[in-house]
Amino acid sequence: MSMTRTVRFFIAQLARALPVVAALAAMLAGGPARAQEYVKVENVPREQLPAPQFVGAAYGFIMIALLVYVIVVARRLARTRGDIAELRTRVERLAGPGDRR
Amino acid sequence: MSTVGRGFAIAVIAAIAGFLVVPLLIVSAPVEPVMGVVQKIFYFHVPCAIMMFLSTFVAAAGSLSYLFKGAERGDRLAHAAGELGVLFGACVLVTGPLWGRKAWGVWWQWDARLTSSLLLFLILNGYLLARRYGGPAGKKLAAALSLFAAVDVPLVYKSVDIWRTVHPQTTVVPSLDPAMRPAFWASFALITLVWGILLTLRLRLEDARATVEELQLMVDDLAQDS
């Protein structure tokens, strides 16, 4: 008996909560149901994108990319040449004055 | 200054002059009636794409000589060219979507040309990653990857003719309006010159690194002897 009462109570609570759950689900799904047909709208403003900004961004990117690359390679080259000079000095010191490798 | 050094200096001066002159030619070139001003991205976008292709072919040629003849110089050339392929690929993949956003209304389309270009860029990146992190076999693995990249180049080029795509076809450059040609060819010459300068500079770095390795071995030998 007690079991039946518990089940009935549970079903009643579930029925009471159902509209709230449905409303929440609708909210999460994006509010009211979407239109199922397309309607013609007059005088909608066309999206205007400023072309010179796109052209400027494209050229700007290329210039910056090339410049950064040149700087990076030049720095790496300078560092490597520094390493060569240091290693040559070490070779000369280790080999002695008579040994020309 | 040596003859090579003098030639390099002249090339650098010519490139700097080019960066001052070419934008003026592009500005004075006629505006394309359908796309408008944004079409002017074409003058750098296409030469950068061609340099990406050229870099890929040079990397593949260097890799072939390394794989089949064991030429270290070929491997160094391939490394330098592979890096330039990534650089110019990045320029293509940034300028293209900027153009597309205005012309097509979207930044990106998964069509044949764009997808195969992205694939080429990723393979070239894979080449550099394999070299860096591939361990002892990394150089050979990378060399094989660069051959795959070279196979992708004709696919990228012909993709617009084979498949239906939003990208302009390969007939655009040959059929270019005569008034637009000076700007395009000047831009192409400038980008090619810059590519040559960068390749020379990058190759010098690779040669210098090889010298460091040789000297390091020499120092190790001498230290063991003494």
Side-chain angles (χ1 to χ4, degrees), chain B residues 143-172:
Chain B
L145 266 177
S146 82
L147 300 183
F148 282 109
V151 170
D152 189 34
V153 170
L155 192 72
V156 176
Y157 181 72
K158 291 301 287 178
S159 58
V160 283
D161 300 327
I162 298 168
W163 292 286
R164 237 169 61 163
T165 155
V166 287
H167 194 280
Q169 292 201 318
T170 50
T171 49
V172 166

Short mmCIF file of all heavy atoms in Angstrom, two decimals, chain B residues 143-172:
data_model
loop_
_atom_site.label_atom_id
_atom_site.label_comp_id
_atom_site.label_asym_id
_atom_site.label_seq_id
_atom_site.Cartn_x
_atom_site.Cartn_y
_atom_site.Cartn_z
N ALA B 143 62.65 13.59 -45.98
CA ALA B 143 62.91 13.62 -47.43
C ALA B 143 61.80 12.90 -48.19
O ALA B 143 61.33 13.38 -49.23
CB ALA B 143 64.26 12.96 -47.72
N ALA B 144 61.34 11.78 -47.64
CA ALA B 144 60.23 11.05 -48.28
C ALA B 144 58.96 11.88 -48.25
O ALA B 144 58.21 11.92 -49.24
CB ALA B 144 60.01 9.72 -47.57
N LEU B 145 58.74 12.59 -47.14
CA LEU B 145 57.55 13.44 -47.04
C LEU B 145 57.56 14.55 -48.09
O LEU B 145 56.52 14.90 -48.65
CB LEU B 145 57.49 14.08 -45.64
CG LEU B 145 56.68 13.36 -44.59
CD1 LEU B 145 56.80 14.08 -43.26
CD2 LEU B 145 55.21 13.27 -44.98
N SER B 146 58.76 15.10 -48.34
CA SER B 146 58.84 16.19 -49.32
C SER B 146 58.51 15.68 -50.72
O SER B 146 58.02 16.45 -51.56
CB SER B 146 60.21 16.85 -49.28
OG SER B 146 61.14 16.12 -50.02
N LEU B 147 58.75 14.40 -50.99
CA LEU B 147 58.36 13.85 -52.30
C LEU B 147 56.83 13.78 -52.41
O LEU B 147 56.26 14.07 -53.47
CB LEU B 147 58.96 12.45 -52.49
CG LEU B 147 60.50 12.35 -52.46
CD1 LEU B 147 60.94 10.93 -52.72
CD2 LEU B 147 61.13 13.30 -53.46
N PHE B 148 56.17 13.43 -51.30
CA PHE B 148 54.70 13.43 -51.29
C PHE B 148 54.16 14.84 -51.51
O PHE B 148 53.15 15.04 -52.19
CB PHE B 148 54.17 12.85 -49.98
CG PHE B 148 54.23 11.36 -49.92
CD1 PHE B 148 55.13 10.71 -49.09
CD2 PHE B 148 53.40 10.58 -50.71
CE1 PHE B 148 55.20 9.33 -49.04
CE2 PHE B 148 53.46 9.20 -50.67
CZ PHE B 148 54.36 8.57 -49.84
N ALA B 149 54.85 15.81 -50.90
CA ALA B 149 54.42 17.21 -51.07
C ALA B 149 54.51 17.61 -52.54
O ALA B 149 53.60 18.26 -53.07
CB ALA B 149 55.31 18.12 -50.21
N ALA B 150 55.59 17.17 -53.22
CA ALA B 150 55.75 17.50 -54.64
C ALA B 150 54.66 16.87 -55.49
O ALA B 150 54.21 17.46 -56.47
CB ALA B 150 57.12 17.06 -55.12
N VAL B 151 54.21 15.68 -55.09
CA VAL B 151 53.13 15.01 -55.82
C VAL B 151 51.82 15.79 -55.66
O VAL B 151 50.99 15.84 -56.57
CB VAL B 151 52.97 13.55 -55.33
CG1 VAL B 151 51.73 12.90 -55.90
CG2 VAL B 151 54.20 12.73 -55.72
N ASP B 152 51.66 16.44 -54.51
CA ASP B 152 50.42 17.19 -54.25
C ASP B 152 50.34 18.47 -55.08
O ASP B 152 49.25 18.98 -55.33
CB ASP B 152 50.35 17.52 -52.75
CG ASP B 152 49.00 18.11 -52.35
OD1 ASP B 152 47.99 17.71 -52.96
OD2 ASP B 152 48.97 18.97 -51.45
N VAL B 153 51.51 19.01 -55.50
CA VAL B 153 51.50 20.30 -56.22
C VAL B 153 50.66 20.28 -57.51
O VAL B 153 49.79 21.14 -57.67
CB VAL B 153 52.95 20.79 -56.48
CG1 VAL B 153 52.96 21.99 -57.42
CG2 VAL B 153 53.62 21.16 -55.18
N PRO B 154 50.87 19.30 -58.42
CA PRO B 154 50.02 19.29 -59.62
C PRO B 154 48.54 19.14 -59.29
O PRO B 154 47.69 19.70 -59.98
CB PRO B 154 50.51 18.07 -60.41
CG PRO B 154 51.85 17.76 -59.86
CD PRO B 154 51.86 18.21 -58.45
N LEU B 155 48.27 18.40 -58.21
CA LEU B 155 46.88 18.21 -57.77
C LEU B 155 46.28 19.55 -57.34
O LEU B 155 45.13 19.87 -57.69
CB LEU B 155 46.85 17.22 -56.61
CG LEU B 155 45.49 16.70 -56.21
CD1 LEU B 155 44.95 15.72 -57.24
CD2 LEU B 155 45.56 16.02 -54.85
N VAL B 156 47.06 20.33 -56.58
CA VAL B 156 46.58 21.65 -56.15
C VAL B 156 46.32 22.52 -57.38
O VAL B 156 45.28 23.16 -57.50
CB VAL B 156 47.62 22.35 -55.23
CG1 VAL B 156 47.15 23.75 -54.86
CG2 VAL B 156 47.88 21.54 -53.97
N TYR B 157 47.27 22.51 -58.30
CA TYR B 157 47.17 23.38 -59.48
C TYR B 157 45.97 23.02 -60.36
O TYR B 157 45.21 23.88 -60.77
CB TYR B 157 48.47 23.31 -60.29
CG TYR B 157 48.45 24.21 -61.50
CD1 TYR B 157 48.53 25.60 -61.35
CD2 TYR B 157 48.31 23.69 -62.78
CE1 TYR B 157 48.49 26.43 -62.47
CE2 TYR B 157 48.27 24.51 -63.90
CZ TYR B 157 48.35 25.88 -63.74
OH TYR B 157 48.31 26.70 -64.82
N LYS B 158 45.79 21.73 -60.64
CA LYS B 158 44.73 21.31 -61.55
C LYS B 158 43.37 21.12 -60.86
O LYS B 158 42.38 20.89 -61.55
CB LYS B 158 45.12 19.98 -62.23
CG LYS B 158 46.27 20.09 -63.22
CD LYS B 158 46.01 21.06 -64.36
CE LYS B 158 45.05 20.56 -65.40
NZ LYS B 158 44.81 21.56 -66.46
N SER B 159 43.35 21.21 -59.54
CA SER B 159 42.10 20.95 -58.80
C SER B 159 40.95 21.83 -59.29
O SER B 159 39.81 21.36 -59.38
CB SER B 159 42.32 21.16 -57.30
OG SER B 159 42.77 22.47 -57.07
N VAL B 160 41.25 23.08 -59.63
CA VAL B 160 40.17 23.99 -60.06
C VAL B 160 39.61 23.62 -61.43
O VAL B 160 38.51 24.03 -61.79
CB VAL B 160 40.66 25.47 -60.08
CG1 VAL B 160 40.71 26.03 -58.69
CG2 VAL B 160 42.00 25.60 -60.78
N ASP B 161 40.40 22.88 -62.22
CA ASP B 161 39.91 22.46 -63.54
C ASP B 161 39.21 21.11 -63.46
O ASP B 161 38.32 20.82 -64.26
CB ASP B 161 41.09 22.35 -64.53
CG ASP B 161 41.80 23.68 -64.71
OD1 ASP B 161 41.12 24.72 -64.63
OD2 ASP B 161 43.03 23.69 -64.91
N ILE B 162 39.65 20.28 -62.50
CA ILE B 162 39.08 18.92 -62.39
C ILE B 162 37.75 18.94 -61.65
O ILE B 162 36.77 18.35 -62.08
CB ILE B 162 40.08 17.97 -61.68
CG1 ILE B 162 41.38 17.87 -62.50
CG2 ILE B 162 39.47 16.58 -61.50
CD1 ILE B 162 42.52 17.18 -61.74
N TRP B 163 37.72 19.63 -60.50
CA TRP B 163 36.51 19.63 -59.67
C TRP B 163 35.80 20.97 -59.75
O TRP B 163 36.44 21.99 -60.06
CB TRP B 163 36.87 19.32 -58.21
CG TRP B 163 37.34 17.94 -58.02
CD1 TRP B 163 36.59 16.80 -58.03
CD2 TRP B 163 38.70 17.51 -57.80
NE1 TRP B 163 37.38 15.71 -57.82
CE2 TRP B 163 38.67 16.10 -57.68
CE3 TRP B 163 39.92 18.15 -57.69
CZ2 TRP B 163 39.81 15.34 -57.45
CZ3 TRP B 163 41.07 17.41 -57.47
CH2 TRP B 163 41.02 16.02 -57.36
N ARG B 164 34.52 20.96 -59.41
CA ARG B 164 33.77 22.22 -59.33
C ARG B 164 34.17 22.93 -58.06
O ARG B 164 34.12 22.35 -56.98
CB ARG B 164 32.27 21.92 -59.32
CG ARG B 164 31.55 22.62 -60.47
CD ARG B 164 30.18 22.14 -60.59
NE ARG B 164 29.42 22.40 -59.37
CZ ARG B 164 28.10 22.37 -59.31
NH1 ARG B 164 27.43 22.10 -60.38
NH2 ARG B 164 27.47 22.59 -58.18
N THR B 165 34.58 24.16 -58.18
CA THR B 165 35.09 24.87 -57.02
C THR B 165 34.76 26.36 -57.12
O THR B 165 34.52 26.87 -58.23
CB THR B 165 36.63 24.65 -56.89
OG1 THR B 165 37.20 25.72 -56.18
CG2 THR B 165 37.32 24.53 -58.21
N VAL B 166 34.75 27.03 -55.98
CA VAL B 166 34.46 28.47 -55.99
C VAL B 166 35.69 29.28 -56.37
O VAL B 166 35.61 30.45 -56.71
CB VAL B 166 33.95 28.95 -54.60
CG1 VAL B 166 32.55 28.46 -54.36
CG2 VAL B 166 34.89 28.56 -53.48
N HIS B 167 36.85 28.64 -56.30
CA HIS B 167 38.12 29.34 -56.57
C HIS B 167 38.25 29.63 -58.06
O HIS B 167 37.86 28.82 -58.88
CB HIS B 167 39.27 28.43 -56.09
CG HIS B 167 40.57 29.13 -56.00
ND1 HIS B 167 41.35 29.36 -57.10
CD2 HIS B 167 41.23 29.66 -54.95
CE1 HIS B 167 42.45 30.00 -56.72
NE2 HIS B 167 42.40 30.20 -55.42
N PRO B 168 38.84 30.79 -58.44
CA PRO B 168 39.06 31.07 -59.87
C PRO B 168 39.92 29.99 -60.53
O PRO B 168 40.77 29.38 -59.87
CB PRO B 168 39.79 32.41 -59.86
CG PRO B 168 39.43 33.04 -58.57
CD PRO B 168 39.26 31.92 -57.60
N GLN B 169 39.73 29.79 -61.82
CA GLN B 169 40.42 28.71 -62.53
C GLN B 169 41.83 29.14 -62.96
O GLN B 169 42.22 30.30 -62.80
CB GLN B 169 39.59 28.29 -63.74
CG GLN B 169 38.30 27.61 -63.31
CD GLN B 169 37.71 26.76 -64.40
OE1 GLN B 169 37.70 27.16 -65.55
NE2 GLN B 169 37.21 25.60 -64.05
N THR B 170 42.56 28.17 -63.54
CA THR B 170 43.95 28.44 -63.94
C THR B 170 44.03 29.36 -65.16
O THR B 170 45.11 29.81 -65.51
CB THR B 170 44.67 27.12 -64.27
OG1 THR B 170 43.86 26.37 -65.17
CG2 THR B 170 44.93 26.29 -63.04
N THR B 171 42.89 29.65 -65.78
CA THR B 171 42.91 30.50 -66.98
C THR B 171 42.99 31.99 -66.61
O THR B 171 43.13 32.83 -67.51
CB THR B 171 41.62 30.26 -67.80
OG1 THR B 171 40.51 30.35 -66.91
CG2 THR B 171 41.63 28.92 -68.48
N VAL B 172 42.91 32.29 -65.32
CA VAL B 172 42.87 33.70 -64.90
C VAL B 172 44.13 34.46 -65.31
O VAL B 172 44.05 35.54 -65.90
CB VAL B 172 42.65 33.80 -63.36
CG1 VAL B 172 42.93 35.21 -62.87
CG2 VAL B 172 41.23 33.43 -63.01
#
